[in-house]
Amino acid sequence: MTMLDIRDITKRFGGLVANDSIAFTVEAGQIFAVIGPNGAGKTTLFNMVAGTFPPSEGEVAFDGAVISGRSVAEIAQSGLVRTYQLVQLFKQMTVAENVMVGFHRVTTGGVFSALVRPPGVRRQEREIREKTAEILEFVGLSHRADVTADLLPYGEQRLLEVARALAAGPKLLLLDEPAAGLNTEETAELARVVRKVNENGVTIMLIEHDMGLVMQIAHRIAVLDFGRKIAEGTPEEIRAHPEVIAAYLGGTEGYDD
Ligand SMILES: Nc1ncnc2c1ncn2[C@@H]1O[C@H](COP(=O)(O)OP(=O)(O)O)[C@@H](O)[C@H]1O
Ligand SMILES: [Mg+2]
């Protein structure tokens, strides 16, 4: 089943073509990675998918319905939830409170949606607290529940962003460079959590710079360069693709950037 269908989308910023007729599909259950050099158009693609702005041309269908033109909130409510390239936590709130914020974007469907819209408000509050505890346990942040978010090490801030996104009950989770700035150990932990989220039934599309991480966890990869999709395939196919090696890896360089 196709979860996301990106149909020839183009984005122009004045004279700049940031995305040039990009097309691919993400199947339900996949971890799909979008890679490419800085400025290739990856975040622009995410912005069009998540509804930050509409494509100049083309359209995006999610879970069988065209979503282009809908607002970010509407799209999130239908089960497509994103995180951002730069950490966007409520820094003065606790870890648990940050996750609770995510429940405002509740949806039907998705792994963490069993407790959505219960009848009584008090019961709802209790259930949100319980569900928050479950999600923190799931990402390995239980011991930090009452810590102020800005006191967390950077790697845990990234995990907290994933936790908050999970509270919204995504069917499809978009992660924009989730491992940017993380050390080796933090990257391994993030990879473990992303895999676990996926194994629990959430389809994932991620932008990533860390080729080691991508090759390790992605089922399928699309490569962007100067706004165009220059390749798509399995990690093995991408690794061997001459245009990718030339454009992205600079010829002789390895994958561990
Ligand atoms: N809101 C915007 N307005 C104008 N230009 C933009 C905007 N967003 C991105 N761009 C430009 O589009 C190109 C692609 O950017 P981006 O999608 O952020 O690339 P990536 O995420 O792959 O690094 C860049 O040249 C960038 O400067
Ligand atoms: Mg980007």
Side-chain angles (χ1 to χ4, degrees):
M1 187 206 125
T2 298
M3 179 67 81
L4 188 71
D5 190 358
I6 295 176
R7 301 172 178 163
D8 292 316
I9 56 175
T10 290
K11 185 69 193 180
R12 294 190 199 88
F13 295 114
L16 175 80
V17 184
N19 272 197
D20 188 356
S21 199
I22 307 269
F24 60 85
T25 62
V26 178
E27 300 304 311
Q30 273 182 339
I31 298 180
F32 192 105
V34 178
I35 64 171
N38 274 334
K42 305 180 297 294
T43 297
T44 298
L45 177 70
F46 263 35
N47 284 335
M48 285 190 283
V49 170
T52 307
F53 45 65
S56 307
E57 281 165 36
E59 64 181 18
V60 178
F62 168 63
D63 207 16
V66 173
I67 55 169
S68 305
R70 293 192 199 166
S71 69
V72 173
E74 278 178 287
I75 290 172
Q77 239 161 33
S78 70
L80 195 164
V81 179
R82 77 175 297 183
T83 66
Y84 292 85
Q85 187 166 351
L86 301 173
V87 168
Q88 300 206 339
L89 294 168
F90 297 99
K91 293 189 180 295
Q92 301 311 316
M93 285 164 59
T94 67
V95 166
E97 286 163 350
N98 268 279
V99 175
M100 286 179 198
V101 169
F103 281 97
H104 291 296
R105 297 177 290 179
V106 291
T107 69
T108 54
V111 197
F112 295 100
S113 61
L115 298 172
V116 163
R117 300 190 211 291
V121 171
R122 238 187 5 221
R123 192 177 128 220
Q124 185 172 20
E125 281 172 6
R126 194 188 65 231
E127 287 180 344
I128 285 177
R129 270 200 305 276
E130 287 170 6
K131 207 67 194 166
T132 294
E134 246 177 68
I135 290 174
L136 288 177
E137 174 77 34
F138 186 87
V139 303
L141 287 178
S142 294
H143 61 300
R144 301 289 210 191
D146 300 320
V147 173
T148 308
D150 69 348
L151 297 178
L152 291 183
Y154 193 63
E156 293 186 347
Q157 291 190 18
R158 284 288 184 188
L159 289 175
L160 177 53
E161 289 204 305
V162 173
R164 187 176 55 184
L166 290 177
K171 293 179 202 162
L172 174 63
L173 180 59
L174 304 189
L175 303 170
D176 194 346
E177 299 205 25
L182 303 190
N183 64 33
T184 311
E185 200 177 305
E186 290 168 333
T187 302
E189 178 59 12
L190 184 98
R192 194 185 68 78
V193 169
V194 169
R195 264 221 188 92
K196 201 165 111 177
V197 170
N198 179 248
E199 281 162 8
N200 275 264
V202 180
T203 307
I204 290 174
M205 180 157 104
L206 80 158
I207 292 173
E208 197 40 75
H209 224 69
D210 185 324
M211 288 295 279
L213 176 67
V214 167
M215 292 296 166
Q216 197 194 329
I217 70 172
H219 301 118
R220 202 164 174 79
I221 299 171
V223 186
L224 302 191
D225 192 28
F226 294 111
R228 289 185 311 118
K229 187 183 86 175
I230 60 166
E232 184 188 337
T234 63
E236 292 68 33
E237 288 165 346
I238 294 304
R239 215 188 278 278
H241 196 291
E243 215 179 329
V244 176
I245 294 167
Y248 185 61
L249 301 162
T252 54
E253 283 169 37
Y255 284 82
D256 298 313
D257 63 6

